[in-house]
Amino acid sequence: MELGLSLGETMADAGRDLVLGLGMGVGARREEEVEVERGTRDRDARRELDFGCGRPSPDPPAVRLTLLPGLGGLPWPAPSNGRSAAAGHLEEAASWARGFDVNRAPSLSAGGAAAADEDEEERDEAGAGAASSSPNTSAGACGGVAGSSRASDDDDGGSARKKLRLSKEQSAFLEESFKEHATLNPKQKLALAKQLNLRPRQVEVWFQNRRARTKLKQTEVDCEYLKRCCETLTEENRRLHKELAELRALKAVHPFYTHLPATTLSMCPSCERVASSSAPGAPAPAAGGIAPASEHSRPSSFAALFSSSPFSRAAAAQTTQPPAPASS
DNA sequence: GTAAAACCCGCACTTACCTCA
DNA sequence: TATGAGGTAAGTGCGGGTTTT
């Protein structure tokens, strides 16, 4: 499931259907993701990475990325014929990004880079075991220093970290991947890293930050929607108070109003339809003169509803005369 | 079979850097 | 040119689930 966050569109639809599912997409999928993950881990490499992994996915079959073509060769696989247009676009983007290796040592040849990736991933997955759960103790993952996937990029001898900005194409590629899957298993991460010439850690971090941004925006949308709900309810409350005041005024003017059959009118605040229900044994409202208002002819208030009934006509005739004192 | 340790991963929070008005 | 705000890559700590011992 994808959040499908689009602020403008969501807000346009917020009034009728806003799914308050913070993080559900990620969380709900976590379990099976782990399952798949386990199936794809080292001890079970028979599954080919296709981001679908042959499992039933609730996600719509959006752009299907082919991220594991010929991993043994060049880090940037040659385009195949049967790919989708989107994949082709991504391939193009990746090809563009090829020349913008912002992080990897340029001295690495293509095969060497791939080999380095393999080694790095081995460290990433196996070596991570050596690293404690505290990331502080692990060494940098790059520069050939063993470390976990959570290691820092302390590749320049402990100097201040550099701000590495991903290229537009790399970001677009990651974005497309994120649309496909909000979370990555290790092999997907590795494949993406290979495709984009990034370290797996960078891909991992990007997805973490992307999920955080999605959640933040969704929270903003939810907040806005709840704000609008609050405004609507406040307005509804104000209107109901007004109607109550009108009814009380009518009751004061027409005491016989209290002898009406025990008919209750209920209004759905959302659709503003009025429905009537009679107490058991009570005469039908239509016989009593107050017919249930249809959804197309709903009076704007109970007073208007009352004024349209025969009682109201009689009452209107009475209003020309001084009202009798209320018995209560 | 159970408990503890180790491992792994995601998240929340934060920092540091970069870009731009 | 200096500067503050915003965006974002990356660091850190923690909790929870899984695997190993």
Side-chain angles (χ1 to χ4, degrees), chain A residues 35-56:
Chain A
E35 184 114 8
V36 169
E37 206 170 295
R38 251 173 238 122
T40 57
R41 291 256 166 129
D42 296 339
R43 67 170 183 269
D44 185 6
R46 66 183 180 275
R47 268 187 171 171
E48 201 63 26
L49 174 69
D50 63 353
F51 277 2
C53 297
R55 62 187 165 88

Side-chain angles (χ1 to χ4, degrees), chain A residues 89-90 93 167-177 206:
Chain A
H89 166 73
L90 294 177
S167 68
K168 286 181 181 177
E169 284 69 22
Q170 285 171 322
S171 295
F173 201 105
L174 289 167
E175 196 70 39
E176 289 297 323
S177 301
W206 188 92

